[in-house]
Every structure is written in C-alpha cells, then in structure tokens.
Amino acid sequence: MRSIVAAGCARCPGRALAAALPAAKLSPLGGVIPDRSIFREKHYAPAGLVQYGRGCRFACEFCSIHAFYGSSLRQRPLREVVTEIEALQRAHIFLVDDNILMDGSLAKALFQALSR
Ligand code: SF4
C-alpha cells in the first residue's frame, strides 16, 4: 500500500491581493523531468518527492510563493505525474505542490488516478 502526503495549504485570507497581481510569464511544466541524481547517496527519508503544480493564485501576506511565481499556477499533465509516481516505485509519495487544492478538480483527478 502506498501513502501519499500533500504539502501546502488549503486556505488563504489574501484573495483580493492576489487578484491585483499580474500573472507571471513562466514556462509550462509539461515534459519537465526531475533530476533525482542529486539525492543519490544522501540519507533523506525514503519518500518520492513529486510536484503536480507550481504556484498559487492567492497572495497571503505571510507567504513567499507569489514573490517567486506571481499569481500563476502551472500544472503538469496528469498522465506525466501518474507515470512518474508509478516509476518511482516508492511506498511513500510526498506531493510538494505549493497549494495542491488551488484547483480542486485537478487535485481530485490526480487522487482518483492514483487510487486506481
Ligand atoms: S500557497 Fe501561499 S499564497 Fe497560496 S493559499 Fe497558500 S499561503 Fe496563501
């Protein structure tokens, strides 16, 4: 059985501020393959770190995400993420999205795909 942990947050009091920020011009994430060789021979926890989406459309005043990515949210293709998780062959997956619930329907699609 595989366990999946999703990091990030699920609420934001700063929505009005986020609406005022311009969307950042950043490259799409489709086709991006993480280089996990940097983890080799390190003694990190045996969890597979995977990112489905990057960024957040909100701008909570205490959070640094919008300083990096503006109000953009870039999502990797679902199939790529599922394939990557399957290839990792790890018992534990750590989803390191900034705000995985930013788009609830995309998050639901991922969790449904992983539960099959
Ligand atoms: S990721 Fe940052 S800006 Fe987005 S909801 Fe969470 S705390 Fe707020």
Side-chain angles (χ1 to χ4, degrees):
M1 182 173 152
R2 178 187 298 149
S3 69
I4 298 181
V5 174
C9 65
R11 64 183 283 268
C12 176
R15 294 173 190 224
L17 179 58
L21 292 174
K25 302 267 189 272
L26 300 166
S27 304
L29 298 179
V32 172
I33 301 170
D35 178 4
R36 290 193 167 79
S37 66
I38 62 172
F39 300 132
R40 207 171 291 137
E41 299 179 20
K42 305 284 191 300
H43 300 287
Y44 294 117
L49 305 180
V50 177
Q51 192 169 48
Y52 181 33
R54 183 175 292 177
C56 178
R57 293 193 186 105
F58 299 141
C60 300
E61 61 186 18
F62 53 84
C63 181
S64 63
I65 296 303
H66 52 280
F68 289 102
Y69 307 122
S71 58
S72 70
L73 174 66
R74 292 174 293 156
Q75 208 71 44
R76 294 177 62 204
L78 175 63
R79 180 47 39 205
E80 285 185 20
V81 175
V82 172
T83 299
E84 181 182 336
I85 289 172
E86 289 171 352
L88 282 172
Q89 297 188 323
R90 294 289 178 99
H92 306 287
I93 300 296
F94 189 165
L95 296 169
V96 295
D97 291 43
D98 301 312
N99 184 351
I100 199 162
L101 296 178
M102 183 73 252
D103 186 321
S105 62
L106 291 174
K108 185 176 178 181
L110 174 64
F111 297 140
Q112 286 177 331
L114 293 176
S115 69
R116 291 184 197 123

